[in-house]
């Protein structure tokens, strides 16, 4: 009985292994004169009301705002190189560079 309680205690006290961390992921695409981005957590759900910034190559903020409840945002692309930075409610960062923004077909 003591052995079973010891094993039970070890099982309960051990953190779950095999679980991946939940991180925000950001995907952006270009359609005509707009860039559309969507933020989702690594396990699937949208990242609602995430704070975002679009910065230039020198990290100067060009625009900022809050994604909608479905984790979506859109903006007119800057003429120069840019990055889209997005923070979830825990302040975890996701980033997309201008080279990763693909043209929509």
């Amino acid at each position: 009985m003591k052995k079973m309680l010891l094993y039970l205690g070890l099982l309960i006290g051990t953190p779950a292994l095999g679980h991946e961390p939940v991180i925000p992921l950001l995907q952006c695409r270009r359609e005509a004169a707009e860039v559309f981005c969507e933020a989702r957590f690594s396990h699937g759900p949208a990242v609602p009301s995430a704070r975002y910034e679009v910065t230039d190559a020198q990290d100067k903020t060009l625009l900022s705002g809050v994604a909608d409840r479905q984790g979506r945002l859109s903006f007119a692309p800057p003429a120069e190189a840019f990055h889209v930075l997005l923070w979830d409610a825990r302040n975890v960062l996701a980033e997309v560079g201008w080279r990763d923004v693909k043209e929509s077909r």
Side-chain angles (χ1 to χ4, degrees):
M1 181 68 168
K2 283 185 182 181
K3 226 182 214 183
M4 186 169 20
L5 288 175
L6 176 65
Y7 288 133
L8 183 59
L10 287 173
L11 201 68
I12 291 172
T14 305
L17 301 175
H19 287 269
E20 295 181 24
V22 176
I23 58 172
L25 303 173
L26 184 61
Q27 291 185 328
C28 298
R29 69 186 188 288
R30 182 180 233 153
E31 288 183 18
E34 288 283 310
V35 173
F36 294 93
C37 299
E38 184 175 38
R40 296 204 158 279
F41 284 112
S42 54
H43 67 293
V47 181
S49 306
R51 190 172 48 89
Y52 72 88
E53 287 182 2
V54 177
T55 63
D56 66 12
Q58 288 74 40
D59 293 327
K60 177 183 169 197
T61 300
L62 302 174
L63 63 112
S64 62
V66 176
D68 68 12
R69 294 177 71 197
Q70 286 78 38
R72 298 177 301 205
L73 58 113
S74 63
F75 57 92
E80 66 271 3
F82 64 92
H83 294 274
V84 182
L85 309 170
L86 179 127
W87 294 269
D88 69 4
R90 302 165 301 158
N91 216 26
V92 177
L93 174 68
E95 179 179 4
V96 169
W98 64 276
R99 288 187 177 127
D100 298 318
V101 177
K102 304 299 180 203
E103 291 286 333
S104 245
R105 295 181 195 190

